[in-house]
């Protein structure tokens, strides 16, 4: 797929940068990572940080319930029509990597129904360390791990940790309680990722999601440039 | 026809959304109607000779040039459950995306324009087969095989069934899949003469009822 290549007729194909009517589509950012690392909480915080600046929507990929979508609805981070849940058939990584059709459909429906949108956040269901998003589905991806999942995860690497456009090490406030060495995690991540950025974050701190939100703003600026 | 193109279209990894659907197997597992390889085989056989035959006939008819709009209405009339009609259109839309990327054609573009939210999956399958240079027999085999393969792989995940046993079930059903495809090809030839109303209308009421029950579950692994 080539950016800016468009197909005739309705319904653009995956990575096309323009919608069928010729307008530029929303930037799509994927958030993946293991179960319980704080993906949904990060999505909620990003929505609160960005919703007054930009037109946003969220696609969730719950594994067997609508709980992530319902959490976002309950927290009222966005109006309900801007949140869409995709069912993944017991294989969350398939829906974001190998067969992205249901997610693309959800993104397109959101753009049709509540657009124009600037940004669509696509949240993966909690999965393993090898789960990454297809380039046909997202333009950039964030991989969220947390300090309580073990401070050896950055050293172990894997496609999510190594190749994601942004690595977030979440729940840094828990580090003293679970015996995780933040310095070691940061050093291991830097060694695995070269020049790719890493953010250490605690959503309970005053700074909250600010660093990740700034990174998203930079992606948006580059997309619309 | 290209046999290799048929393999591409029939591949379970063809990215057209099928992996998120169980073909009614999730509901049947919970209801205790599928408990292992033997009952999976019974379930698949029932599916093959009812919805499988209908899907294969629709696909074959679309592949040989029966108008897709007429076939889509025929598919609606043969699918009492609103949940299954919605699932069939979703899967049709997803298959449409994959088919337009793999075998672009004016016919696919026209069908996508006619049904922006999706035509019934077997109808799209038939037009996709046509665009790939395949015939009615190929489309019928794809649809008939899909009618059992999706349920079998879903059951591997749902019951942790031995994957070799599930695949052996599919192999044992292969002669019947061929037979259903043959019937579908005959039916498609009839529909070319007499219209889509001549296509088979076999139904499996328990699949329709089960799909409605499944749609109401709060916790489930598969979309249908």
């Amino acid at each position: 797929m080539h950016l800016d290549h468009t197909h005739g007729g309705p319904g653009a194909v995956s990575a096309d940068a323009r919608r069928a009517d010729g307008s530029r589509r929303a930037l799509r950012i994927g958030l993946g990572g293991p179960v319980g690392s704080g993906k949904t909480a990060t999505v909620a915080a990003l929505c609160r940080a960005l919703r007054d600046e930009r037109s946003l929507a969220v696609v969730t990929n719950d594994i067997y319930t609508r709980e992530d979508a319902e959490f976002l609805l309950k927290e009222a981070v966005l109006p309900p029509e801007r949140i869409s849940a995709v069912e993944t058939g017991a294989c969350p990584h398939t829906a974001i990597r190998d067969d992205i059709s249901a997610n693309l459909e959800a993104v397109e429906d959101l753009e049709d129904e509540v657009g124009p949108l600037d940004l669509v956040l696509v949240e993966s269901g909690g999965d393993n360390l090898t789960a990454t998003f297809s380039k046909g589905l997202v333009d950039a991806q964030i991989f969220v791990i947390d300090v309580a999942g073990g401070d050896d995860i950055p050293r172990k690497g894997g496609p999510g940790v190594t190749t994601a456009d942004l690595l977030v090490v979440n729940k840094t406030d828990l580090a003293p309680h679970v015996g995780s060495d933040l310095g070691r995690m940061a050093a291991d991540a830097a060694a695995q990722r070269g020049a790719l950025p890493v953010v250490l974050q605690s959503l309970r701190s005053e700074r909250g999601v600010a660093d990740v939100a700034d990174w998203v703003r930079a992606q948006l600026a580059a997309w619309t440039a | 026809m290209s046999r290799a193109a048929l393999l591409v279209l029939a591949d379970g990894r063809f990215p057209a959304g099928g992996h998120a659907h169980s073909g009614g197997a999730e509901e049947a597992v919970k209801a205790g109607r599928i408990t292992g390889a033997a009952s999976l085989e019974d379930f698949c056989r029932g599916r093959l000779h009812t919805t499988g035959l209908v899907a294969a006939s629709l696909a074959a008819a679309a592949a040989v040039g029966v108008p897709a709009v007429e076939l889509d209405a025929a598919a609606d009339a043969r699918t009492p459950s609103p949940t299954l009609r919605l699932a069939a259109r979703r899967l049709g839309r997803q298959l449409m995306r994959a088919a337009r990327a793999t075998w672009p054609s004016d016919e696919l573009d026209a069908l996508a324009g006619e049904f922006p939210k999706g035509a019934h999956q077997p109808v799209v399958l038939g037009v996709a087969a046509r665009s790939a240079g395949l015939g009615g027999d190929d489309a019928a085999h794809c649809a008939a095989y899909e009618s059992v393969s999706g349920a079998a792989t879903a059951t591997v995940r749902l019951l942790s069934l031995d994957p070799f046993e599930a695949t052996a079930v599919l192999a044992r059903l292969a002669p019947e899949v061929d037979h259903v495809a043959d019937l579908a090809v005959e039916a498609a030839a009839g529909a070319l003469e007499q219209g889509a109303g001549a296509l088979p209308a076999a139904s499996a009421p328990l699949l329709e009822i089960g799909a409605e029950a499944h749609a109401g579950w709060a916790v489930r692994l598969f979309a249908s």
Side-chain angles (χ1 to χ4, degrees), chain A residues 108-156:
Chain A
E108 285 176 4
D109 283 349
L110 284 166
E111 291 205 76
D112 285 344
E113 285 153 26
V114 300
L117 295 170
D118 300 311
L119 173 66
V120 180
L121 299 173
V122 183
E123 182 192 342
S124 143
D127 208 322
N128 57 47
L129 294 170
T130 66
T132 51
F133 285 84
S134 163
K135 289 185 170 72
L137 176 60
V138 302
D139 304 295
Q141 52 192 305
I142 301 173
F143 201 72
V144 182
I145 61 174
D146 73 292
V147 302
D151 62 3
D152 52 353
I153 287 181
R155 177 175 53 75
K156 287 179 179 168

Side-chain angles (χ1 to χ4, degrees), chain A residues 34-224:
Chain A
V35 177
S37 63
K39 294 181 296 298
T40 309
T42 300
V43 167
L46 278 174
C47 288
R48 290 193 193 95
L50 298 168
R51 66 189 174 193
D52 295 332
E53 306 164 23
R54 296 289 197 158
S55 176
L56 305 181
V58 174
V59 176
T60 64
N61 280 259
D62 286 324
I63 303 176
Y64 51 83
T65 69
R66 290 176 47 86
E67 284 208 8
D68 289 344
E70 277 162 13
F71 174 83
L72 296 173
L73 290 169
K74 200 172 67 196
E75 296 284 302
V77 297
L78 290 177
E81 64 275 16
R82 287 175 179 263
I83 300 169
S84 177
V86 166
E87 291 174 299
T88 57
C91 252
H93 51 273
T94 303
I96 62 165
R97 185 186 58 206
D98 309 295
D99 184 350
I100 57 179
S101 43
N103 270 295
L104 284 171
E105 186 182 294
V107 169
E108 285 176 4
D109 283 349
L110 284 166
E111 291 205 76
D112 285 344
E113 285 153 26
V114 300
L117 295 170
D118 300 311
L119 173 66
V120 180
L121 299 173
V122 183
E123 182 192 342
S124 143
D127 208 322
N128 57 47
L129 294 170
T130 66
T132 51
F133 285 84
S134 163
K135 289 185 170 72
L137 176 60
V138 302
D139 304 295
Q141 52 192 305
I142 301 173
F143 201 72
V144 182
I145 61 174
D146 73 292
V147 302
D151 62 3
D152 52 353
I153 287 181
R155 177 175 53 75
K156 287 179 179 168
V161 164
T162 311
T163 66
D165 299 286
L166 178 67
L167 177 68
V168 175
V169 181
N170 201 21
K171 307 186 190 176
T172 53
D173 51 305
L174 294 182
H177 307 293
V178 296
S180 284
D181 181 341
L182 287 178
R184 179 181 147 195
M185 290 185 86
D188 288 344
Q192 290 280 2
R193 291 172 53 77
L196 290 169
V198 180
V199 164
L200 277 69
Q201 146 182 300
S202 163
L203 292 173
R204 294 181 172 195
S205 74
E206 201 172 312
R207 199 152 171 74
V209 82
D211 293 326
V212 177
D214 284 343
W215 181 85
V216 171
R217 286 188 188 96
Q219 301 295 311
L220 275 164
W223 177 250
T224 48

Side-chain angles (χ1 to χ4, degrees), chain A residues 8 10 64 87 89 99 108-109, chain B residues 17 93 100 117 157 220-221:
Chain A
Y64 51 83
E87 291 174 299
D99 184 350
E108 285 176 4
D109 283 349
Chain B
R93 182 177 172 190
R100 288 174 84 193
K117 296 291 177 190
R157 296 187 207 164
R220 58 177 185 246
L221 286 175

